[in-house]
Amino acid sequence: MGKLTREDIKKIKEKKLKELHDASVTKLLLCGGTGCHATGSLKLKDALQKEVINKGLEKKVKIVETGCNGFCAMGPLMLVYPEGVFYQKISEKDVPEIIEEHIINKKHVQKLLYVDPVTKKTIPYQKDIPFFSHQMTIALRNKGLIDPEVIEDYIAQDGYMGAAKALLDMTPEEIIHEVKSSGLRGRGGAGFSTGLKWEFANKSKGEIKYVLCNADEGDPGAFMDRSILEADPHAVIEGMIIASKAIGAKQGYIYCRTEYPLAVSRLGIAIQQAKNYGLLGEKMFGSTHSFDIEIYQGAGAFVCGEETALMRSIEGKRGMPRPRPPFPAQKGLWDKPSILNNVETLSNVPQIISKGGKWYSSLGTETSKGTKVFALSGDINNIGLVEVPMGISLKKMIFDIGGGIPNKKKFKAVQLGGPSGGCVPEKYLDTPVDYEAIAKVGAIMGSGGVIIMDEDTCMVDMARFFMDFIQDESCGKCTPCREGTKRILEILNRICDGQGEADDIGKLENLSAIIINSALCGLGQTGPNPVLSTLKYFKDEYYAHIYEKRCPAKRCAALLKFEIDPNLCQKCGLCFKACSAGAITWKKKEVAVIDKSKCVKCLGCYSKCKFNAIL
Amino acid sequence: MIQLNRPQNPDIQENMWDKIDEIINSNKNKAGSVITVLRECQNIVGYLPLDLMDYIATGINIPASHIFGVATFYALFSLKPKGRHTIRVCMGTACYVKGIKEVMDRIEQEFKIKAGETTEDRRFSIEAVRCLGACGLAPVLVVDKDTHGGVSSDKIISILETYK
């Protein structure tokens, strides 16, 4: 295939769209994200293919493996086009019925349809399911709709039109102006203006400049970048092409986590396809601009999400940050002017160029424009990815879209922004999704991880968890972060082990303030946030651990008795069944008893007991 | 081309050395290739023995201290041999909230090793990994290439029993 011009792309688009809207062919869009792969979507795909061939329906049915659909809790899942019917939790056994009922008899397979947990109503179409209907997709617009390994699918959805416009019709200054006027801010965490960042790099002098994409999604509980890379890799490539023209770069790198093999593989395929079509390489679209992209795999270091550390890592060194200035826009990778944008940021760019900055800035709040992707997880019914306009409340996101807390448990807190973020309690759930508003309640927008915690979560233990993370991932270059986080962790460990001392809270606050003020990079400067935010809203739990030697949520093993209260025990035997160490004896209609000599303190029985009878 | 002396190492066979030489030769003049070389060599040998790192250092003409620094900095690299099966336990926040710590404790107790170690019979290596990005399945662990979602401390041992 030779080099494509803008006209060629338009032709491909028209042809592909005709195919897509051809009602005589039913398209089974099967989710092929990491989550659905794990629940068996690949086997399902094989089974569907076999059944289609068995029934001689090859011309009437097309099976497409898409990227992550986002509704991960319901996998494996499938969308049927053109009607838009949504099937969930499909097993191989359901395949004959799907073909027989849906394809041949043109009826919905009732048992695989979504049932609203609140109203108990069956909802056949994806667009009507609350999880989807409250969303507004820009960065995720192609999720679950296209085959990420087929470039024509992306082109059919207006793909590469933004890049063509930028390369053929716009000057670098015009591109930067458009991105600035969109109000797009970095979606990786810091929230810096993307247009300004590009402007700085544009103004830096130098023949060689670099466009870098941060796909080192390290925040635990955030998986939007993985999902975009798996579902829509061309959007990221197109965003990088536009950025390269804006700053005058000829080479780009995507720094991707090695823990995301599927994303790496799909990116590789996408880059190769773009090269084959001449959309990457020399003089793209017949313009004078040339640009190429290489994938660079990370090696498992959280700190490499920090820009200067990431650049060191691409240079083949230890990923340690350095003080700024000079900023990467002046001296970045190999000391050349560089920009680093994250995956979600870049995937917004093509549409900002196509539809204009004004369109994008019409969405959102005063200071936070557009949409943001959030990864809902933890104790919530609808685990998955959601993209919402900035400004909607946390409550709406958690309860209307997320479907609330499972097992009739009570909401306790929501953790926003990963290890650098904070926990927000119930009373602040009306807070809108907005960089400044979230910061005001002691958390950060971060990369968009939203972890919901129910009443069984111990907040001291959570603070300890995050500190363990930060302490382990600290690169060790600066003393406040290396030593300070270690000391904080020791204090938290002591408190959770029932050895807390009266002045521990003061020590924690003091140490946190010192680290925030003196650490070298963002990792250390924000590291104590989880401690401070839990201290701010859940101090009573710290008091219970320190003074009463009690863990109210029953998660800290050292503070539990591993005894069953005969007055509360309902003799159901659930704890007996849950114990894999054989430490619990129980007979029907008798109170269970724990043999402490055999107990391995795994807490399996605590999570199973519905009556709070284990002390 | 410099002919390097291949050190004696029971874990590295001749054909492995051939592949290692290929990796070294195709990366020796590339800037910043250390991590790539280490990753590919580890894929072949299973871990990074000290004498292999020395060999790489000579091969790509970068000080051994730098190689060692990189290998010990990143979580991906292991300086110790791995077991037949690698259990990668996700210690992300979503998994933690849903009880992965109890699962990890249970595995550590059962096989009498800590995260990052390998059982004496080299049956299992246990790694605590940061978020696998499969939060929809939390709590999650991956054994070799099999992802197990929704694991719990009471069922995990019977799942692991199937890996011999």
Side-chain angles (χ1 to χ4, degrees), chain B residues 26 32 35 38 63 79 82-83 91 122 134 140 147:
Chain B
S26 61
I35 293 173
L38 289 179
L79 274 55
K82 286 277 159 100
M91 297 300 270
R122 285 212 194 174
V140 178
T147 305

Side-chain angles (χ1 to χ4, degrees), chain A residues 221 226 257-258 296-300 313 315-317 319 377-379 383 461 465 469 472-473 555 578 580 600 602-603, chain B residues 31-32 35 39 66 69-70 73-76 91-94 96-98 102 106 109 130-131 133 135-137 153-154:
Chain A
R226 172 181 65 69
R257 278 187 94 190
T258 192
Y296 195 93
Q297 283 190 60
S313 184
E315 291 169 6
K317 299 171 187 157
S377 68
D379 298 318
I383 292 173
D461 183 50
F465 164 78
F469 183 97
D472 192 42
E473 295 294 343
R555 283 296 286 267
S580 61
V600 295
C602 74
L603 303 187
Chain B
I35 293 173
R39 179 207 323 279
H66 180 84
V70 170
F73 184 83
Y74 294 97
L76 178 71
M91 297 300 270
T93 321
Y96 194 82
V97 168
K98 293 206 156 186
E102 287 76 19
R106 189 79 184 88
Q109 267 163 4
R130 299 312 180 191
C131 192
C135 310
L137 309 169
S153 56
D154 52 322

Side-chain angles (χ1 to χ4, degrees), chain A residues 28 30 42-58 61-63 92 95-96 99:
Chain A
L28 304 179
L30 191 64
L42 285 177
K43 278 186 190 159
L44 189 62
K45 188 182 168 191
D46 287 345
L48 278 167
Q49 254 153 359
K50 272 189 199 145
E51 188 69 13
V52 166
I53 293 168
N54 275 345
K55 300 273 178 189
L57 294 166
E58 292 99 316
V61 180
K62 195 176 170 209
I63 298 164
E92 280 172 83
V95 167
I99 301 296

Side-chain angles (χ1 to χ4, degrees), chain A residues 350-414:
Chain A
Q351 290 172 83
I352 290 173
I353 296 301
S354 293
K355 298 182 185 172
K358 242 189 197 157
W359 158 77
Y360 195 82
S361 68
S362 68
L363 306 165
T365 65
E366 190 59 38
T367 55
S368 307
K369 301 295 186 191
T371 57
K372 173 81 190 88
V373 183
F374 290 95
L376 303 182
S377 68
D379 298 318
I380 187 161
N381 277 312
N382 300 341
I383 292 173
L385 280 187
V386 300
E387 183 171 359
V388 292
M390 294 278 193
I392 87 160
S393 71
L394 290 172
K395 194 183 255 164
K396 188 165 181 190
M397 188 158 74
I398 296 167
F399 290 93
D400 294 353
I401 302 178
I405 319 296
N407 306 326
K408 294 183 183 155
K409 296 276 182 183
K410 268 192 3 221
F411 172 90
K412 186 177 215 171
V414 51

